[in-house]
C-alpha cells in the first residue's frame, strides 16, 4: 500500500512538473504577443503578428506532451472521474509556470512595455461582463480542442499537425477570447507592475475555467454521440442481415 502511494506521488509530481513547463510555454507566447502589440494595440497587423507569435507556446506544448489545463479538457469525457483532480493540478502547475515566465522578463529592457500592455489587457478583461466572459471562454475551449484533435488527426505528417495547431490558436489569440492560463500571464505581469492581485481576478479566472471546460468537451461530446449512434445503427443492420 505504501509503495502504491509513493508511486502515485511520483506520477503526480511528474505530471505537475510537465504542467509547469506548459505554463512557461504559455508565458513565452503571451509575453511575445504583449510585446508585439505594445507598439500599437489597435493595429490589426500587429495583432496578426502577435497572434502567430503566441502559437509557439501551444505548438511545443502539444509536440512535447506538456500538461496544459485547456488541452486536457478535450479528453475529460473519457477520463475516469477519480483522475479529474489532475485538471486542478495542471492548472496550478500552469500558474506556477506563468509566474516563472513573468518573473524572468519583468526586469528586462522590454519589461516595462510588456507590463504596460498586460495592465491594459487585464483591465479590459476584468471590466467585461461575466456572462460575456463565460461565452468567450467557451469559444476558446472549442479552439483549443480543434488544435489538439487536429494535430492527432494528422498522424502521418508532423508538418500538417503543426499547421493544424497554429490556425485555431492564431484565431483565438486575434479574437481575444478568454484562455484561463494565458490570462494568468497578464494578471501576473499586472501584479508585478504594482497593481496588485484582487478577488475580481479570482472570480474571473473561475468563470473562464468553467467556460474553457465546457468549450473543451463540446466537440468530443458530439463525436462520442456520433460513434454511439453509428454503432447502434451498425448493430441493427447486422441483426437484420442475420435474420435474412
Amino acid at each position: 500500500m505504501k509503495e502504491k502511494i509513493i508511486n502515485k506521488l511520483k506520477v503526480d509530481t511528474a505530471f505537475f512538473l510537465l504542467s509547469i513547463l506548459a505554463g512557461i510555454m504559455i508565458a513565452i507566447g503571451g509575453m511575445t504577443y504583449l510585446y508585439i502589440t505594445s507598439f500599437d494595440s489597435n493595429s490589426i497587423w500587429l495583432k496578426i503578428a502577435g497572434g502567430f507569435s503566441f502559437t509557439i507556446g501551444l505548438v511545443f506544448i502539444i509536440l512535447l506532451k506538456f500538461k496544459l489545463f485547456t488541452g486536457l479538457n478535450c479528453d475529460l469525457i473519457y477520463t475516469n472521474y477519480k483522475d479529474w483532480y489532475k485538471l486542478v493540478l495542471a492548472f496550478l502547475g500552469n500558474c506556477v509556470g506563468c509566474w516563472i515566465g513573468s518573473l524572468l522578463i519583468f526586469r528586462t529592457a522590454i519589461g516595462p512595455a510588456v507590463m504596460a500592455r498586460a495592465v491594459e489587457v487585464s483591465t479590459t478583461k476584468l471590466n467585461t461582463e461575466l456572462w460575456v466572459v463565460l461565452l468567450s471562454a467557451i469559444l476558446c475551449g472549442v479552439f483549443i480542442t480543434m488544435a489538439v484533435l487536429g494535430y492527432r488527426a494528422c498522424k502521418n505528417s508532423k508538418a500538417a499537425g503543426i499547421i493544424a495547431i497554429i490556425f485555431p490558436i492564431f484565431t483565438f489569440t486575434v479574437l481575444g477570447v478568454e484562455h484561463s492560463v494565458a490570462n494568468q500571464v497578464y494578471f501576473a505581469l499586472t501584479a508585478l507592475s504594482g497593481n496588485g492581485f484582487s478577488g475580481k481576478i479570482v472570480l474571473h479566472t473561475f468563470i473562464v475555467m468553467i467556460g474553457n471546460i465546457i468549450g473543451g468537451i463540446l466537440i468530443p461530446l458530439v463525436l462520442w454521440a456520433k460513434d454511439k449512434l453509428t454503432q447502434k445503427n451498425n448493430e441493427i443492420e447486422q441483426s437484420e442481415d442475420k435474420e435474412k
Side-chain angles (χ1 to χ4, degrees), residues 158-212:
K158 188 154 286 188
I162 291 173
I163 292 172
I165 297 170
I166 288 174
F167 282 102
I169 304 308
F170 161 76
T171 305
F172 98 64
T173 306
V174 172
L175 291 177
V177 293
E178 299 287 349
H179 187 282
S180 54
V181 179
N183 283 355
Q184 302 316 304
V185 181
Y186 311 141
F187 296 150
L189 287 166
T190 298
L192 290 171
S193 71
N195 286 272
F197 198 87
S198 66
K200 197 172 183 179
I201 289 176
V202 176
L203 177 60
H204 185 280
T205 297
F206 178 73
I207 296 297
V208 176
M209 289 176 69
I210 297 300
N212 287 166

Side-chain angles (χ1 to χ4, degrees), residues 221-239:
L221 194 59
V222 172
L223 293 176
W224 174 83
K226 184 268 295 182
D227 289 341
K228 288 295 182 181
L229 291 171
T230 303
Q231 180 182 4
K232 186 66 176 177
N233 185 59
N234 290 337
E235 290 174 355
I236 293 173
E237 290 180 352
Q238 290 174 4
S239 177

Side-chain angles (χ1 to χ4, degrees), residues 47-59:
K47 285 184 178 180
I48 290 173
F52 272 116
S53 70
F54 185 85
T55 65
I56 185 174
L58 271 296
V59 167

